Amino acid sequence: MMDPATTPLGQMLLEEITPVVMVLSTPSVEDSSLKNGLSFLHLLTPFCSFNNIDVPVRTASDQPYRLHKFKLRLFYASDVRRPDLKVAKERLKQVITEAGEKVFSELASDVPHIDHEHASSEYRNTPSWFQFLNKELVRVASFSDHEAFDHPVACILAVSSNDEGPINRFVDLYNSNKLPSLLNGGAMDPNILKHYLLVHDNQDGPAERASKIFTEMRSTFGTSDCSLLCINSSVDAPIKHQVNPWASHMSDASLSQGLGCFLNTDDINEIKNLMQNLSSKYIIPNMEQKIRELNQQVSATRKGFRNQIKNLWWRKGKEDGADSPNGPMYNYSSIESQIRVLGDYAFMLRDYELALSNYRLISTDYKIDKAWKRYAGVQEMMGLTYFMLDQSRKEAEYCMENAFSTYVKLGSLGQQNATRCGLWWIEMLKARDQYKEAATVYFRICGEDILHSAVMLEQASYCYMLCKPSMLRKYGFHLVLSGEQYKKCNQIKHAIRTYRNALSVLKGSTWSYINDHVHFHIGQWYASLGMYDVAVKHMMEILACSHQSKATQELFLSDFLQTVKKTGRTFEVTKLQLPVINISSIKVIFEDYRTFGSPSAANIREALWNSLEEEMLPSFSTAKSNWLELQSKLIPKKNSQSNVCIAGEAVKVNIEFKNPLQIPIPISGVALICRHSGSTDEARSDENQSNMEKNNEIDHFREMSSDNTSFSVSEVDFSLGGGETTMVQLSVTPSVEGTLSILGVRWKLSGTIIGFHNFESSHPKKNIVKGRRKSNYSPNNMFKFMVIKSIPKLQGSVRHLPGKAYAGDLRQLVLELRNPSDFPVKNLKMKISHPRFLTIGNPEHIKSEFPACLTKKIDSVNNDAQANPGIMSDTVFMFPEDTSIQGENPFLWPLWFRAAFPGDISLCMSIYYEIGDISSVIRYRTLRLHYNVQILPSLDVSFQISPSRMRMQEFLVRLDVVNKTSSESFQVYQLSSVGKHWEISLLQPPDTIFPLQSLMAGQAISCFFTLKNSRLLTSEANEPAMHVRSDLSLVPQSSDNLVFNINNAPLINFHHFESIAKSYTDQGDLNTVDFVLISRSLKSDNNSGLSDPPCVMSHHACHLSTASTGPISWLVDGPRTLQHDFSASFCEINLKMHLYNSSHATAIVRIDTLDSAGSGGVVQSPTSDIQAGWHDVTPTTPTSEPKVTSNAFETQLKKALSLDSVSPYIWSGSSSTNLHLEPMSSVETPLQICVFSPGTYDLSSYVLNWKLSSKGHGGGDETKQQSGKCQGYKYYITVLQSS
Amino acid sequence: MPPVAPRSGDSIFANLEHMNAELFTLTYGAIVRQLITDLEEVDEVNKQLDQMGYNIGVRLIDEFLAKSNISRCVDFKETAEVIAKVGFKMFLGVTASVINWDADGTSCSIVLEDNPLVDFVELPDNCQGLHYCNILSGVVRGALEMVSMKTEVTWVRDMLRGDEVYELNVKLIKQVPEEYPYKDDE
Amino acid sequence: MIVCVAVVGHQNNPLYIQSFTEADDALKLHHIVHCSLDVVDERVNNPKKSGPLLNETFLGLLYPIENFKVYGYLTNTKVKFILVTTDLDVKDADVRNFFRRFHAAYVDAVSNPFHVPGKKITSRTFAERVSTIVKSFGLTSAV
Amino acid sequence: MVREVAESCVDSLLTEMVASYCNRFYANKPELAARRIEAIGYQVGHQLSERYTMERPRFSDHLEAIKFICKDFWTELFKKQIDNLKTNHRGTFVLQDNKFPWLERISIDPSTDKVNSAEDDSFTTAENKAASTISMHLYYPCGIIRGALSNLGITCAVTADISNLPACSFVVRVKA
């Protein structure tokens, strides 16, 4: 460790604990010195501290050593007393305030960044006012009578040469009743070393008189104790001292110029010598002398065992001494005082061992005497002595602690001393790098005086920063504490300063509460100083304080707004935190060649539109039309990346604003900030824009927002409730061509402050409408547009499309198109996403009323299906060439809607059109319409077909209908088979099926039909098949029997798409039948939320296979009952079997007859184990479709009859017959059985093995099997005994 | 021959290789979180979770049948019970109960008081609409499909959304035929 | 009684601070917790001071301030738990027990797949668990 | 009460997770899939380390932490310890598990490939799919280890080495 004397504390002690010299002077002496702007005392002061006085000294134990550094403290007699607290405080206050001003003005505008080097250095040269303050605080405690080092050791009596009767003046200068209380109070020995100084002012004339007086003096007071001092020797013009010795000693350096202007070098040297002599020849030896004497006395009375005992006894004796807080009064003659004096003198002469031993000695005495103040004082000195000796830190600290706490115990009496002791202690700790401890001591010495404690706390905070490792958080905390104190005694500037320093700790941390508090107060205080701009800056930091309580939020916000108001101008700031803008939510919607019929259309994924428009857009078409490359030429390369928008058409931006607070905030004037430049040359304007923004965004923005000649922006006002979030749509409409870039958004917070947000600085997620496809979209491009001159834009909508509908609901809609512009459009095309739901009708349908137009007209030849083949395939629909859309009268076109299947579907349709004039960059546009329709389950229809056993190619059809709705009831109206070769007929009259003509909610019915293959029938010539009844009314004839023509548009179209949806490829299959079930909703009073109940509903079942047992169908033909006399012979019965091959290939069929009836049911048909009785639930997806479980009946029959016993019979003839069956042809083959006894026989015991010769038949689909096996069906024949 | 009586879930669980649930729980959680970040849309996440569950179910069923020597389940009703009582217990160590069957026995609810997937889980506000346990529904669906029952499995109640239990509605769409000859004894 | 508990992340960022006084001294408590971090650092960086409890998660009494006692706990993952209490005589066992249960609660909280490490703990369940633990502080010395 | 589940739950979950990421989401971007899987592991490891280090004094150095991973952490996960730990004392540790449970379970999982190829669009042959599946599976434990260590204040890179199956060694490289 370094030499204690060089430490700050060492310095301080060598300054403060030094001999005091009392100065007594006559007014005339003062006058003459005042000519130099100095009091006499000040005149001498600079020459009282010697850096190398080099005086030989001897310790009490005659150890010789030399004093080098030495200092005298001069005081006028009047000042030798406890200083006045009030005055001292005032002075402190003033100093601090000045410091405040000074430092504050130097404050850097931005928050200081904290790094340790910087920090520590900052502390190393602590603000000088700290030191000054501490010094003052130490001084306040001086001239106490409980310690001796402030006691004057000598006294200078100064008399001027032109005082009359100087000798007497000398005498009565030092008359006891004028002396300070210390001396005549008995606290110290009044007869101290006196020095008689005759001061001669050379301006008063020559020194003869002076010398005369001087000799007289010497005779009276003795030669050694007198000296003569001549000053003001420079008679002529005042002299300037380049190094003015007095300046440093004056409180204010301002008027240090004229100091000592009449003192020439001789004078100065004279003063120097005077003081030098005084100290080296008189004071020091005298002190040394005194030390020796005292030491002898002390050792005589107190050293040695006997004395110790005696002392103890004695002390015990005077136990009853008055117990005042500072113990009994000790006269200077008392041994205790003398020991103390001895100690202090020794200390002042650096004989620390001696000092320490005596302090030790005395402290015990004081302790026993309960003379606490003195005790504390001695402890204090012991601590310091230990320090100066640089031994046993423990001891040193213990003593300081002891002293400090004792002082503190004394309360107000010991307060100043406590402070002084504390400061010394702190210095001691600092000297040993125990900053943390130092800090705690600072904390302890901040008394009830607020200002005082503020300063102490601040110093404490520095200590925390300096300790290793530095405790920055505590540093911050104490800064805040001290800041509060400063604020209390309105030292605002200090408060701000400390808080700002505290910020440096919090910077970048998430301790929001603390951060908010600090920022807020800094803001407030700046505001109170009228520095509103800074205030606003700080307050803005904490606006979005969602974590704070509602009250706090209100406070912050209101204060902020007030401050802003006070600034008197509309503040405009970037990154204003209220409200919060959700960048990722930003979505740019613009229309180039794509236009949207509704906002919802804009939200549909671009990919979906693309797939829809693929065929329509020329850019995708393979045939390259000549104007296509022209288009690509027109758009400059660099712009090919940036978006295109049309003059006069709005570009919309959706932005989400969020209010993080719990209190509502009014937002007004929300608008986009845009820049429009006439030139299409991007690159250059980009440059100047970017650097514009670099240098000052705000102005740039303001300028932007001001100019609105070339475009117009929409303004929105809204108020955000607590925690509310709203999506706002802003729009900008360019009016002239050029390039438009959207820079950001501006808004006004509760009418006072304007916030900006710059889009391009913040990089949003690119969920721009077309962003998904062009993933290489950079945000800048997303906000940059090339404005082209205005072109026509179609508006369109679909009239009376229901939002909700029941499955099967069939409606006529109208597409309405308008073209407000006065340019023509041509080549309209349209494409619809869900042809199953929406098809394009014929214009004449518009006139004809609905549903009548669906019904059969007698004359109409039902081949409309072929009439418009364009509709049949789901490709693009071309509007007729002559369609022109212009002006206000709309263009109408019919559409058909049919709710194909339940669920929520979104219908998209895109209408393509080309712009008349060639010059435009964009040659075509598409209008995109989008609608959501919710479709509820209605009727659930399923069919089961099984071959009838009565007749070839005749089938039994079972129709199951379930009403799935909750409330609606429907009327099943008509069943039709599609195509012309299936005839259906009811088995029972309709009214037996539907007694009450309608199907209630949840009700299920099933009814049976026979189905004839009319083609076959015609081939057989037993019936004239003029007109095939392919339609079947299910309502009693009574009611209006208009028959819906299902072979007519739109029904046939919908049916077509239905069958396509089922992805059946082969149309030509003759064994499949399609049904269409028409039903109507009865106008039921209890309406189920649906605006208008459906009036016609169609349900389609496609490709129901009749060929359940494979392509081969057969029929056993023969008698059912016959009589035979078995007594005569066994009975032979001839039967015929008709076989029909319904496939396109020749079939080889083998009939195996099995005689043993037991082997009845070995064979099974491929699907025999399907449980009959349950059918499919309503499909939710287009693909899954009702599969009809065929030949369920057969199995049921089989089960039913399998019980009854079968008596044997034999097949006569070959047990197996082979037949060839040409495609679509029938043969017949004879069969014969022999029966031996009467009874009923089941002839099902035969098997047909069939095989298709695969040639000829397109073996494309696996659904059709190539070969199979069929169990004979039940055929009962009863043979009776003929009598 | 009569089918061997299915063993109780606990007994299987007892002698099944098992481990403490934390790894399982946390892994699933991490997967869900990752899916959300990758797929962005919650519905998509639900879909994927269900898909994953389905695949797992498809694989898990064999082990299930083997470990709990349950003969083929024909009846949907019975199957549901087994899944709830045995399946959940032996894999997740929790028992589920089957409630509110509908009239024609094609739809019921599997109810769980708790399940290891959701320990520690709290749905953030931006993930409402997420069926956190959707993998379970997938598993059930997948498993059932392997025993030739096509089902529709949907969440009815979810504790993560403040309901008091987890309820999984299982609805039989159709019972597709077995591939191999089907012995029906007359 | 416990006036405040806090979880502080390994970058000394507050993850969870909850005060249990009706008085509005959130700010003060934040300061106290904030400062306590200095002490934690000190304890950890020069273990000679922390002496016997070397590397133990429980750091013991960090420092008394005004009429509060501040206790600390440092997990293996450098997450700090701070406990501020006004009780005069606090049983070490109680504090340890408290921190043990608190730690368990914390672990479950961060096991929420949606919790982002290093972000504030917003879990309701956690808050409830903590408040019960706080309520039962001192009552149940049953370890 | 410590809750328990069947091991097969975890196994099938992992298998499916890997399958989904490799075959469904990032079918043709294996490196992306790998990153995701690793990320999942990372989160789990991060959380587990928090859990499993409860009630234990803080680790004073890296080695201690690594040892913890080898012993307690591994045991919690696999009911066995890492069989062999090597280090070059310059920040690289090799944790070898002679019979890494997950590996043997997933690698002999026949159904994976079947199921994968069911809804798989990338046409890779079964066996090199199996191989890739294994390596994909390993990103998960790697992630776990990395997550656990990073939560213990050790930033590192973890790779797996299956040059000699069924042994599997994880190489931890600590970032200086």
Side-chain angles (χ1 to χ4, degrees), chain A residues 948-955 1012 1017 1020 1022 1115:
Chain A
S948 124
R949 291 308 173 206
M950 297 301 110
R951 214 169 281 95
M952 286 294 288
Q953 288 303 295
E954 184 167 321
F955 301 90
K1012 284 209 194 66
L1017 291 171
E1020 298 171 357
N1022 51 12
L1115 191 70

Side-chain angles (χ1 to χ4, degrees), chain A residues 436 473-474 477 510-511 513, chain C residues 12-14 30 34 38 42:
Chain A
K436 209 169 103 229
R473 301 180 190 84
K474 289 198 170 186
F477 181 45
T510 50
W511 290 84
Y513 270 85
Chain C
N12 289 330
N13 48 329
H30 273 68
H34 192 225
D38 277 334
E42 190 182 27

